Amino acid sequence: MTEHVVIVGGGTGGTVLANDLADRLEPELDAGDVRVTLVNDDPDHVYKPVWLYVPFGQREPDDGRRALDDLVDDAIDLRIDRVSDIDTEARRLRFRGNSPPVSYDHLVLATGSTLEPDRIPGLAEAGHDYYSESGATDLRDELLAFTDGDLVLSVIGTPHMCPAAPLEFVFMADDWLRERGLREDVDITYTYPIQRVHGNPHIAEWARPLMEERDIRTETFFNAEAIDPETETITSMEGTELEYDLLVTIPPHAGVDLIEEAGLGDDGWVDVDRHTLEAEAAENVYALGDTADTGVPNAGSVAHYQAGVVGQRLASKIRGRPATATYDGKTLCFIETGMDAASFVEFDYEKPPSPAPPSEKLHWSKLAYNESYWLTARGLL
Amino acid sequence: MTDIEPDDTVDARGAACPGPLMDLIGRIRSAESGDVIRLLSDTDQSLTDVPEWAEEAGNELLAVEEIDDHNAFYVEKA
């Protein structure tokens, strides 16, 4: 009897896993003992880190798009549709489009993050972001025309995709404006919801002096409550009010509704064992990447490593062997500290990050990785 | 044992810092003025995070209750 693995989500985690299984289970796939289906609601795979560079005119959104059909191994069934319902009792998925329901033996949820700007009054109207393709191109137009005034970057809530990206943006904006001779006419303010400038205390301790050196103002314990586009002010729950001329925000994030509706976790994040990535509320269900509530950063490297663990565990189970692979929280991250310098961190559940001194070499390493990302998606790197 | 009756409870046990504080802030955001939110957290960092934030935001930390391996924080929204 054919065992059916269904992966929902064609971002980094889902795509790497699909290609990992195509390689790992090649004999079983060839023999028809196993079938793997990848479901995504967009025919394209999107590499979101490209968006950080779009506002500065360094990349185009198309640089981060490839057809899934070209990226995913031919042994994988690709279905372009949106899942509307997960029934973990019946082990069945339904779809919004014309696809008939699908039954699974093993389900992997890699549905990622969505943006919810409507949670904050005024945000959708007044805030700019680089966490969406349209947001990044709109922000590019604003930034190119911005020559003086208050630039405020506000991190509204966590978790959000790429915890380093807000720091990267203000460091890059500072450097970019200096290069253009505009920095003296622009005040940059960075706000963060808790009492330090980053969720991870080690990264916060590293970033804060850099921000002071670069004259980037900080407002901590700042949880945006409302934005008034008329007066161009942003107000926090803590009672602080900031004026802005250009407001860049990290909008509130959530997962997808169908996860909560299926009873797998709150806010669209699946409650999992953080080592095995198995869902706590259902059998034969895994989650990875942003979707898995493990407490590690919502980062592509996390999804990449977790996909390898889930791939190994699935292959073991399908072959009737004990699954022994576990995820140790491994996270790798380059952090841009300007237009031509970057730092690098590596950490896991046990070992805290220790950011490397910023260098040009690390900046080029980050750009080189961005170029070679497509090999990662194919499961080659 | 406190006899405070919370209007809502946020169970952030198992979450690493700053998860519990962010969960509390998220729930306070949608609460009504006067509502009491109970936060369950098993990270020691919450013992400093929660009082600091409650003071900064003008909310009142009514009580901190020690229960086995975690703490319960009762915060009233201003």
Side-chain angles (χ1 to χ4, degrees), chain A residues 119-120 156-159 192-196 199-201 220-221 223-225 237-240 266 274 294-295, chain B residues 14-19 21-30 45 48-49 52-54 56-59 77:
Chain A
R119 283 197 202 173
I120 308 296
I156 303 176
T158 64
Y192 205 72
I194 60 170
Q195 70 276 44
R196 49 181 186 262
N200 187 296
T220 51
F221 270 147
N223 286 275
E225 187 164 59
M237 290 168 75
E238 295 78 11
T240 308
D266 296 331
R274 67 182 195 154
T294 55
Chain B
C17 177
L21 177 60
M22 290 311 302
D23 289 349
L24 173 68
I25 291 170
R27 202 63 64 94
I28 290 267
R29 197 186 272 287
S30 56
Q45 186 69 40
T48 49
D49 282 0
E52 281 182 21
W53 179 74
E56 186 79 18
N59 300 309
K77 181 169 179 172

